[in-house]
Amino acid sequence: MFNLVKSELTRRNLLHQAGFGLITLGIVPAIFKPTPTLAQGAKEPPMPPEKKLGWAVVGLGKFATQQIIPSFAECKRSKLVALVSGDRAKAERYAGQYGVNPKNIYNYQNYDTIRDNPEVDVIYIILPNALHAEYSIRGAQALKHIMCEKPMAVTVAECQGMIEAAKKSDRKLMIAYRAQYEPFNLAAIQLAQSGKLGKLKSIVSDHGRNLDPKEPSDRWRAQKKLAGGGSLYDIGIYSLQATRYITGEEPVEISAMMYSTPNDPRFREVEENVNFTLRFPSGVLANCTSSYGYSDTKRIQVFGSDATLELDPATDYYKHRLTVKSKNGNEERNIPQQNQFALEMDHLSESIMNNKQPKTPGEEGLQDVKLMQLIYEAARTGRTIKV
Amino acid sequence: MFNLVKSELTRRNLLHQAGFGLITLGIVPAIFKPTPTLAQGAKEPPMPPEKKLGWAVVGLGKFATQQIIPSFAECKRSKLVALVSGDRAKAERYAGQYGVNPKNIYNYQNYDTIRDNPEVDVIYIILPNALHAEYSIRGAQALKHIMCEKPMAVTVAECQGMIEAAKKSDRKLMIAYRAQYEPFNLAAIQLAQSGKLGKLKSIVSDHGRNLDPKEPSDRWRAQKKLAGGGSLYDIGIYSLQATRYITGEEPVEISAMMYSTPNDPRFREVEENVNFTLRFPSGVLANCTSSYGYSDTKRIQVFGSDATLELDPATDYYKHRLTVKSKNGNEERNIPQQNQFALEMDHLSESIMNNKQPKTPGEEGLQDVKLMQLIYEAARTGRTIKV
Amino acid sequence: MFNLVKSELTRRNLLHQAGFGLITLGIVPAIFKPTPTLAQGAKEPPMPPEKKLGWAVVGLGKFATQQIIPSFAECKRSKLVALVSGDRAKAERYAGQYGVNPKNIYNYQNYDTIRDNPEVDVIYIILPNALHAEYSIRGAQALKHIMCEKPMAVTVAECQGMIEAAKKSDRKLMIAYRAQYEPFNLAAIQLAQSGKLGKLKSIVSDHGRNLDPKEPSDRWRAQKKLAGGGSLYDIGIYSLQATRYITGEEPVEISAMMYSTPNDPRFREVEENVNFTLRFPSGVLANCTSSYGYSDTKRIQVFGSDATLELDPATDYYKHRLTVKSKNGNEERNIPQQNQFALEMDHLSESIMNNKQPKTPGEEGLQDVKLMQLIYEAARTGRTIKV
Amino acid sequence: MFNLVKSELTRRNLLHQAGFGLITLGIVPAIFKPTPTLAQGAKEPPMPPEKKLGWAVVGLGKFATQQIIPSFAECKRSKLVALVSGDRAKAERYAGQYGVNPKNIYNYQNYDTIRDNPEVDVIYIILPNALHAEYSIRGAQALKHIMCEKPMAVTVAECQGMIEAAKKSDRKLMIAYRAQYEPFNLAAIQLAQSGKLGKLKSIVSDHGRNLDPKEPSDRWRAQKKLAGGGSLYDIGIYSLQATRYITGEEPVEISAMMYSTPNDPRFREVEENVNFTLRFPSGVLANCTSSYGYSDTKRIQVFGSDATLELDPATDYYKHRLTVKSKNGNEERNIPQQNQFALEMDHLSESIMNNKQPKTPGEEGLQDVKLMQLIYEAARTGRTIKV
């Protein structure tokens, strides 16, 4: 039925010559025979679907539906199996698109019955900050492992309640600090701590964006009772995190200033700008900005005695650029982009599978909430605060 | 069971104030109520799994297993449902990882029985170049739509046979020219043809890499009978394509030079370097290089009377950078990265669903094979060839 | 005597055809006849040597001999006519190289007799900070105009003494804030104040370098009595300046932290790192770093509501890069490099010629010394200081 | 007369402590005592004016007046002492501005009497291409050394005449190939030939600009009889040069295509675009473009087996950028900018002082003229030409 220039025989002979093995009638060999090392190469294959842990996503806002839910497709150990939403129609639409069984759709009332669903191993809380504690605690009480978005919660007490609840249920609690799973940030940490920049002297990190009142997911962020804080809680926390994971240390002193544009309706309840300075035990001083008023910025810069590292954008969803600047020139490193959301979720799944503490547990989230409270205090009092 | 600082009542009141609707017992409202425009926002949602077209991948080499198969997860209209491979164990491993039903695994012998499998709508041929024609034609004869990797085939006659076979079966035939579906290249085409660069004068495109004999997927590329040609067929074709899709024209004259390092075992059968120049009807002259001997390069540059466009990397799997250079400075454009493989496969699925001609049909592949033959002739004869 | 292919006649005819005018025997016309607008084009021609003002350079350290003295060659209104140094042989060597009449070499003893030298109009003080006041005042008393390196002096009282002395002698006093005459910084100021970045929200400026004890010009900088201060006085002053010239405002609040590596012999007397934050009346908060411990950094970043401006390097002697980052992409502006030292010196010469106040008079230097004293106080007390 | 906070005694004591030597009355020590190595540091000091060679500039067009004449100020071994122009008033204006004795102004008639002027050692010919030969030969006959702008001349015969004339007068003849004296290009040559890029495989060089009929210095370039050729003679020659100095080899084969926009009045006599390909003995193939129709481009790219070097801009008057791209990333090298015109002129002065052959003698210019003639022939005949 196929009759081109080359005869069947010629073709088989030619594959043979090419090292693909002898082709005899009835036995067509593998066209490609990669060496074993290649088959297990850089790109780890996904686990078979039935071995992946089942995740429920709580809250179907923009971040959940545009970043997290599509990212399951790139997970190796995690799969989406359930949705929790107050909007049934919306949940059904996403369930249809992503192959979630409609019986696994929950609302905020029957949320606790998720306990009875053995398909669900992990619950990912993507709600306004003020609801993180309640839904994490209820999730842990339903004997599920918990991933919770940052900031962990609004108050230190809430954070402590969450940690306790997870402990009591013997479940993992992880805070979704995606940057700590993202390859460019990992490379920056490695470079900074390896001594390749010389002795670290200073860190400068700037994170800001324009709060957009036309964006539904930004509307609750303008409300103190739902958001807990302003730009610092939402995006300044990336600057704070950066100083901690780059140094591997905890700050010992904090000073800060705040400013919110008067009469800007966005900043009636939450702050616009926070500039803060941190002192670390090794002597590193870090200057950070946090803003709900300037155009998109996500940048980390590390000044060492021998070289400077610039990560800009540092904490974007997709795009990153890492440059090492020294007296010889500027070296932009080639680092393969990866889906940080998938890496982050798989980290928790792997921690659960191997029963180990995740890298960013509840205690990590609690520490940031503590420090952010002190930053507000430093700004309010005009005094350098000892931690 | 949940008892934190804020009482249940306070919390509900607070959601009410935030505009999330009144929360009464038994009625938990949607936490997020995006406006309709947002729900249908920039990111198109995937079709439900049952509506997606089913694809079979033929050949499980590095490109198929590391790029194409994982990319189905990001497709909106396409899903992986079958595998064709001479290595059953390997096929079963990938089937398990990607949730392909083991009954949908075929080998090169029983490949034609895919005709009887209604789950398979499209066949994607990812085999050595010399096998493209056979497997495309057999696929079309099995009444499936065909996506075929570039180069379409080794000879003009093979290309014509493929086009005919698809026509006879009334099936779509598309060549996998991924760059024509990739956002940065589309932006470059739009910029070049919009007049924003002024009148186009010249195009320079360079594509090369080091052929790696230790890499199984490169071994067959060193064999003339399987690859059909050398660097030109594999990677120089990107330079050729670029000149055609940037101008939107067909070349009228071709000159070329070739060079292969003597005694380099990689270049016993296929050529290493080809430099070629094309004249287009509008007067644009294009200088292209193609190499199996220089370090990774994938670059397109378009020179207009007012500005220059640089796309570098232009045709990488992941990373692209588009800069417009003029007397005012260099402007690097922000263009969201997207998975070009998913876009490309969805384009064919959409073309099938809407019964329209895909943007890069068999005729597009045939034209490149014709032109590459003329490039070889120009190099061999040392004469400028009229097309 | 000249006999090539083309005859004399042909050549003349050809020049005629080219529009260079009729060439007749004995009348060779101008080869180039630029239009008047071109002749007075972008590049201002220098004044004839005899009209330029005569400058004396006081102190022949590295900066004076490698930057300032060679830059006179690019001045339009300024020429080097005298040298003041404690090292006669060195002064004679430079006098020979730059065509300075040996009779115009002074030492620190007979410096005041420069009053009797009519060739000298301006004195440029390039001495350790602690000597700025004395030599500026003696220079003004010798009835010469004064350019003084930054920082203007060590104390506020010294600055006031300098301003008074110049006033009393009716001479100009300018502080050598080269960045305020450098085209990239001027473009940054223009962009920031034009509204093109939207409303200004934040400024981040970082200036640092490794103090090098093997470098003679760095040895006195490690001594409090000669330098007056550490990195802040030397290089942090650029960060401070940047916040002031970018906003066009004066800070109203200051907080700061300092750190010097214990047991580093370079920092026995002067500070290594100072991080400071400034609040401006418009609400802009500025984060600055100053360091004698990290690798070369000279950077200004301005965050507006619509776009971010990055100047990096910002205050290098030669190289600058200005990028505007917005949601559309990163735009690196083409700005012609110019010799900022020549521009700066010519600015004072022009101010003298036209009897107008220079842009950076003594009062500008005084303000920085005041503010730097407050930065030290804020760091010492751990309190935010109201200016 | 000077009375500030610190007493005279304290100040002197403080300089003593700082290691500046004991200050006693009547003996003011050197403020700076650089170590000998520093005094002879990277920046070579200029020769005293009386030891510099005296140069005459022939032709006062835009390039001469805006680039060359101002660059003498940065020369270490060369000084401007004479002007040759057909426009006396213009020559007098420049003479005044640059301190040239008016008696050293010549016109094209009395040009030969420059022989009698001992102040003039070197003549720099900056005239339309068709006049290079005559004025170089007359200059050599006047027993002066000759610097001649590129292209050396219009024909091979003219070049040979120039070489002969210089030889006969025992004077140096150098062609002003500034790129061969410019630090970024020198670094590129060094990198390419050092093996750091691996084995060289390909060179791509693009030079173009928009010929501007409103620009007087471009008007003669549109006239074949004055310019000798079009974009190739003016700017494509940089691409040609680049391939030769990067490889250190001479091409053995040439193919080319040309295109001039019909009805564009600029290209009635001279060509707009030339694309040419060169084969070098080592196997390197080079693709070059030359254009009078596209926006400013001055770029050299070198493809090696291990890395790619990009110099862009490569041959600008001021600004250069050198990047090495490899699988590890993109490394932009820090290379100090220097005035290439000053370096070039000083090279000839130094060659004269030390009686050695300059790096780019007449023979270098002759070779380019030969090759450009062959490029035109290849384009005309549509054949690959053996050199």
Side-chain angles (χ1 to χ4, degrees), chain D residues 224-239:
Chain D
K224 184 80 184 284
K225 287 184 182 169
L226 283 169
S231 73
L232 181 61
Y233 262 48
D234 179 30
I235 184 148
I237 193 174
Y238 288 108
S239 292

Side-chain angles (χ1 to χ4, degrees), chain A residues 47-301:
Chain A
M47 284 188 163
E50 67 278 9
K51 293 205 178 157
K52 288 175 172 170
L53 294 191
W55 285 57
V57 166
V58 183
L60 297 180
K62 188 179 167 189
F63 180 72
T65 56
Q66 293 196 6
Q67 305 305 330
I68 296 305
I69 290 178
S71 293
F72 280 102
E74 299 183 58
C75 285
K76 314 286 192 191
R77 298 178 172 81
S78 315
K79 64 184 170 192
L80 178 67
V81 298
L83 298 173
V84 182
S85 170
D87 181 339
R88 177 82 197 178
K90 187 181 188 179
E92 281 177 356
R93 195 168 68 243
Y94 283 105
Q97 286 164 5
Y98 291 93
V100 169
N101 189 330
K103 82 169 176 60
N104 289 351
I105 296 176
Y106 294 84
N107 59 36
Y108 296 112
Q109 275 187 294
N110 66 9
Y111 169 58
D112 306 289
T113 67
I114 207 166
R115 177 177 188 146
D116 307 321
N117 191 335
E119 288 182 60
V120 177
D121 299 294
V122 189
I123 288 173
Y124 190 167
I125 310 296
I126 315 181
L127 295 170
N129 306 340
L131 304 176
H132 286 181
E134 175 188 341
Y135 283 86
S136 292
I137 290 169
R138 285 168 67 186
Q141 286 169 344
L143 299 179
K144 304 303 182 186
H145 302 281
I146 304 295
M147 173 80 92
C148 179
E149 259 309 309
K150 39 89 350 208
M152 183 176 179
V154 172
T155 66
V156 165
E158 285 179 340
C159 296
Q160 287 165 336
M162 292 162 74
I163 292 171
E164 230 167 86
K167 204 174 179 181
K168 208 165 162 186
S169 299
D170 195 22
R171 289 297 176 272
K172 306 295 180 202
L173 168 61
M174 171 170 155
I175 310 306
Y177 284 122
R178 59 187 168 83
Q180 294 206 38
Y181 304 93
E182 189 285 316
F184 284 75
N185 281 272
L186 294 177
I189 294 169
Q190 202 278 329
L191 274 163
Q193 298 186 354
S194 71
K196 289 223 172 113
L197 308 175
K199 193 171 179 314
L200 298 197
K201 296 290 179 173
S202 193
I203 295 173
V204 168
S205 185
D206 302 288
H207 282 83
R209 62 185 190 89
N210 261 302
L211 194 72
D212 181 359
K214 291 191 301 292
E215 178 70 61
S217 64
D218 267 6
R219 256 182 245 145
W220 66 259
R221 294 188 194 278
Q223 297 178 278
K224 182 80 183 285
K225 286 183 184 170
L226 284 169
S231 73
L232 181 61
Y233 262 47
D234 179 30
I235 185 149
I237 193 173
Y238 288 106
S239 292
L240 174 59
Q241 268 276 307
T243 65
R244 295 176 55 233
Y245 60 67
I246 292 289
T247 57
E249 298 180 58
E250 295 301 335
V252 293
E253 274 185 34
I254 298 175
S255 71
M257 283 193 202
M258 286 173 57
Y259 178 78
S260 300
T261 305
N263 304 321
D264 187 323
R266 299 176 296 172
F267 309 123
R268 257 186 230 128
E269 301 187 11
V270 300
E271 85 279 359
E272 181 182 7
N273 301 314
V274 191
N275 282 32
F276 54 99
T277 300
L278 306 171
R279 181 192 299 279
F280 287 87
S282 60
V284 168
L285 299 178
N287 265 5
C288 298
T289 69
S290 167
S291 178
Y292 263 169
Y294 58 67
S295 68
D296 257 39
T297 300
K298 298 147 179 168
R299 199 186 48 151
I300 302 168
Q301 189 140 351

Side-chain angles (χ1 to χ4, degrees), chain A residues 145-146 152 162-163 166-167 170-175 180-181 344 346-366:
Chain A
H145 302 281
I146 304 295
M152 183 176 179
M162 292 162 74
I163 292 171
K167 204 174 179 181
D170 195 22
R171 289 297 176 272
K172 306 295 180 202
L173 168 61
M174 171 170 155
I175 310 306
Q180 294 206 38
Y181 304 93
E344 175 186 55
D346 277 343
H347 177 81
L348 179 52
S349 290
E350 191 188 13
S351 298
I352 294 165
M353 288 171 177
N354 300 331
N355 192 25
K356 60 173 197 188
Q357 172 88 322
K359 189 164 71 166
T360 53
E363 288 74 7
E364 175 85 359
L366 166 62

